Amino acid sequence: DNRLNAEYKQAMARAKEFDDGLYGPNDGAAAALKAAQKAWLTYRDRSCEAETLPLKGGTAESEALFTCLSVLTATRADELAVFLAE
């Protein structure tokens, strides 16, 4: 989560620069990123919930949930690292 938050902050800074015209007259990148991140968080949580449903109540449930959340979070952090990259 720490890496995800750091990458999101940097991606948001780049989106705001994009909106401010550093790369030309544009608008909406920061708002789009914020909406996408909110939707992604919902997707991540529901997806991992569905993936671990067969393990509900079992001893492997928490480990499987943690693994799912970790994998998806790391992947999203990688995606954010290249958001609006030059």
Side-chain angles (χ1 to χ4, degrees):
D1 280 345
N2 289 336
R3 178 169 173 246
L4 177 67
N5 291 333
E7 295 293 356
Y8 176 74
K9 252 186 180 176
Q10 290 180 359
M12 185 57 74
R14 287 191 298 270
K16 288 177 181 178
E17 288 175 350
F18 187 81
D19 286 345
D20 289 342
L22 182 63
Y23 304 105
N26 297 289
D27 195 22
L33 176 59
K34 184 177 181 179
Q37 188 66 7
K38 183 177 177 182
W40 178 83
L41 287 167
T42 299
Y43 160 78
R44 179 198 64 182
D45 294 347
R46 297 298 80 77
S47 180
C48 289
E49 180 182 319
E51 184 176 312
T52 59
L53 196 59
L55 303 171
K56 189 128 181 107
T59 57
E61 179 186 9
S62 61
E63 183 178 343
L65 180 61
F66 177 77
T67 299
C68 180
L69 293 170
S70 295
V71 168
L72 290 181
T73 299
T75 300
R76 180 62 176 166
D78 290 344
E79 293 168 355
L80 288 172
V82 297
F83 182 77
L84 289 179
E86 295 182 283

